[in-house]
Amino acid sequence: MQIVDLRSALEFLRSIPGQLVSTREPVDPVAELAGVYKLVGAGTPLAPPTRIGPAMLFENVKGYDMPVVVGVLASRERTALLMNSRIDRLPFDLLEALNHPCPPVMVASAPCQEVVIRPPFDLRRLIPAPTNTLRDAGPYFNMGLLRAEDPETGESDVTIHRLCVQGPDRLSVYFVPGRHIDQFRIKAEKMGRALPVSISMGLDPAIYLAACFEPPTTPLGFDELTIAGGLRRRPVELADCVSVAAKAIARAEIVLEGEILAGERIREDAQTGTGYAMPEFPGYLGKAQADLPVIRVTAVTHRRNPILQTIVGPAEEHTNLVGIPTEASILRLVENSMPGRLANVYCHSSGGGKYLAILQFRKRQASDEGRQRQAAITAFAAFPELKHVVLVDEDVNIFDTNDVLWAMTTRYQGDASTAFIPGVRCHPLDPSQSPDFSPFLRAEGTSCKTIFDCTVPYDMKERFRRAEFLSVDLARFLPDRS
Ligand code: MN
């Protein structure tokens, strides 16, 4: 079955037991919806109780006649199913797509424009943007894929940015400094011009995954949609917007068309004054940003019976979205510098897919001793926001935290097996990366990057051989469990 959009993805998930649940019970988009999904399937690093579970469709959202789906990518197993891959093959398949890009094509008639709504409208009544917690700045679109073009070169970029609904036709947008669409915005602003954007929501999961690649793998000007096309071996379809000079994902459920206004700023919690934004990926409630760029929405277009797709801030879905592209980026760089040594890599949920990577290293010969640490340094270069690297051998299951901690317990000595790289630029959303926390840090968002080397020294492999059990044909004993 071919997945070409959110609908076909949901239909596919419905055919697999345990991957999609729906409820007709009325749910409040303010805090309740997120509260339910925290228990059903959000996962670490949300505070317990939470777990990895199915995606969930809320058919009856109070005050709206539009359903909301959450958690489409909130399990690695489900992400693998949706990508026609396997848990341990995902980064390799993404890398394959990166190496075989397929550029998007324009289509004349777009499903996302079956219904066109022009001003005046009130976004707050039209679309049930969820508010994740009661202290949030307001309702957010969290799975809005922005697409914009460089006002000088015409190069394009797609990225997910958090969008807080600030009025009938106003959104604030938060860009972490350096993001590509923000660079386009700054250029446009210097020219005194607004930057046209499309915000596509409810998409083929391959598009979201591809959009989460970051530099250096996808430098400024690299169109991440070519990777989505590579993943599906068919081009992503784009359509001209109806109200601005921008292009949107043709098979999106909903598109907000608009422009980032030149010179206009808003405080993120301007509507509520809570002081906070929303739960961020490391698991903490983020502070409201002081002055964010403003998007004026010029039209809303959608499919008939549209579904709003969302994500519950920090959790397994964020981990998969940003972690799997990061894994592919690490594989690519390490493979280039030492072919055949990096067996696999996993960007763990505890770091939201960004802060912690577990590298499975294959020491093939005596001269490979120490190369595992070189691989860790290369991983830091592949993804600058990475903070901790755990190195393990081939006989450790990197997707099983118990097994990784076993390696850290029996193959690791704190003073000898740890390597510190102090004072490196990292990521500001981790509250420990701050001079208040450590006097050795000179600036917010810098960190002591650390390598935890839990690999066995090459010349001691014999002593660390795991107990070997007989290999058996389990199907003989448990025929139903194959
Ligand atoms: Mn980019």
Side-chain angles (χ1 to χ4, degrees):
M1 163 172 185
Q2 209 171 26
I3 296 172
V4 294
D5 52 16
L6 176 64
R7 288 169 187 219
S8 46
L10 295 180
E11 199 181 318
F12 169 71
L13 291 180
R14 242 178 233 119
S15 71
I16 307 167
Q19 293 299 349
L20 176 66
V21 291
S22 29
T23 178
R24 292 206 167 86
E25 182 66 21
V27 68
D28 194 330
V30 179
E32 192 176 39
L33 187 150
V36 171
Y37 196 64
K38 172 184 184 283
L39 299 176
V40 170
T44 305
L46 286 189
T50 185
R51 65 187 178 106
I52 294 173
M56 189 162 185
L57 182 68
F58 293 88
E59 295 178 27
N60 189 350
V61 180
K62 281 183 195 170
Y64 300 86
D65 63 356
M66 191 184 289
V68 175
V69 69
V70 58
V72 173
L73 291 164
S75 97
R76 191 173 177 105
E77 183 195 2
R78 184 160 58 252
T79 304
L81 289 167
L82 287 164
M83 297 302 141
N84 192 24
S85 181
R86 287 191 343 231
I87 283 175
D88 58 336
R89 292 301 306 170
L90 272 166
F92 295 93
D93 288 344
L94 228 58
L95 201 52
E96 180 74 13
L98 185 72
N99 292 332
H100 298 90
C102 174
V105 294
M106 293 298 297
V107 294
S109 112
C112 71
Q113 293 167 355
E114 285 170 351
V115 178
V116 174
I117 303 167
R118 295 180 190 270
F121 51 72
D122 188 344
L123 287 172
R124 298 167 298 185
R125 287 166 194 274
L126 278 178
I127 313 171
T131 304
N132 279 334
T133 81
L134 291 173
R135 295 160 86 191
D136 287 13
Y140 279 86
F141 295 117
N142 281 331
M143 287 292 263
L145 184 84
L146 272 70
R147 185 184 181 286
E149 293 175 4
D150 186 308
E152 280 171 2
T153 67
E155 288 171 328
S156 65
D157 191 83
V158 287
T159 314
I160 304 168
H161 293 291
R162 77 175 187 228
L163 305 159
C164 188
V165 184
Q166 300 286 0
D169 65 347
R170 290 290 198 275
L171 305 168
S172 61
V173 52
Y174 175 49
F175 297 107
V176 172
R179 298 291 191 233
H180 292 159
I181 294 179
D182 198 34
Q183 298 190 39
F184 300 165
R185 179 194 67 79
I186 291 166
K187 259 192 196 176
E189 192 166 79
K190 280 197 181 125
M191 298 156 82
R193 298 203 326 230
L195 181 74
V197 289
S198 67
I199 299 160
S200 300
M201 301 191 282
L203 307 174
D204 174 356
I207 297 177
Y208 281 124
L209 205 54
C212 290
F213 269 102
E214 286 186 26
T217 304
T218 55
L220 186 66
F222 188 106
D223 182 1
E224 292 88 355
L225 291 178
T226 63
I227 308 173
L231 271 169
R232 293 297 188 212
R233 294 168 206 265
R234 70 195 285 284
V236 173
E237 294 170 0
L238 292 174
D240 278 319
C241 287
V242 300
S243 65
V244 287
K247 297 177 176 72
I249 308 294
R251 290 177 172 277
E253 290 291 320
I254 303 166
V255 175
L256 309 180
E257 303 182 357
E259 51 187 17
I260 308 181
L261 300 171
E264 201 164 313
R265 297 289 184 275
I266 192 167
R267 207 186 143 77
E268 196 164 19
D269 62 343
Q271 309 303 310
T272 53
T274 63
Y276 293 97
M278 55 171 275
E280 288 170 336
F281 79 84
Y284 301 96
L285 197 56
K287 286 206 179 75
Q289 296 288 319
D291 44 6
L292 292 183
V294 176
I295 298 175
R296 183 173 75 91
V297 179
T298 51
V300 178
T301 76
H302 62 75
R303 297 176 73 148
R304 276 187 278 278
N305 305 313
I307 306 164
L308 178 67
Q309 185 174 1
T310 190
I311 173 175
V312 174
E316 191 68 12
E317 187 155 25
H318 186 281
T319 298
N320 289 318
L321 277 167
V322 306
I324 298 166
T326 302
E327 291 161 9
S329 298
I330 292 171
L331 273 175
R332 173 174 162 267
L333 222 57
V334 178
E335 186 62 22
N336 284 347
S337 62
M338 46 185 103
R341 300 312 196 275
L342 187 57
N344 213 334
V345 52
Y346 171 46
C347 287
H348 195 273
S349 312
S350 57
K354 283 186 178 239
Y355 293 158
L356 169 63
I358 301 163
L359 270 59
Q360 189 182 40
F361 195 86
R362 196 184 276 138
K363 293 180 191 173
R364 285 185 165 167
Q365 57 204 44
S367 63
D368 282 346
E369 186 52 48
R371 280 218 171 111
Q372 75 279 10
R373 297 192 186 191
Q374 182 62 43
I377 292 167
T378 306
F380 289 133
F383 187 65
E385 294 167 359
L386 187 57
K387 180 187 182 191
H388 290 162
V389 170
V390 178
L391 294 161
V392 299
D393 291 297
E394 274 176 282
D395 60 349
V396 174
N397 179 358
I398 57 172
F399 302 104
D400 179 346
T401 303
N402 280 358
D403 214 31
V404 172
L405 287 177
W406 168 83
M408 190 178 277
T409 307
T410 68
R411 297 174 168 185
Y412 173 88
Q413 285 291 316
D415 57 350
S417 314
T418 319
F420 297 125
I421 313 171
V424 188
R425 176 63 49 187
C426 206
H427 197 273
L429 292 186
D430 166 6
S432 78
Q433 299 188 25
S434 149
D436 308 342
F437 187 89
S438 164
F440 298 117
L441 298 175
R442 297 193 67 99
E444 294 290 330
T446 59
S447 196
C448 177
K449 294 189 188 239
T450 305
I451 301 166
F452 300 87
D453 187 352
C454 311
T455 62
V456 171
Y458 186 80
D459 58 3
M460 293 183 74
K461 287 224 181 240
E462 226 12 71
R463 193 192 293 185
F464 287 85
R465 191 188 283 270
R466 301 182 80 159
E468 281 168 44
F469 282 67
L470 189 67
S471 157
V472 297
D473 176 16
L474 194 55
R476 259 179 62 214
F477 300 89
L478 295 170
D480 303 336
R481 261 189 52 186
S482 53

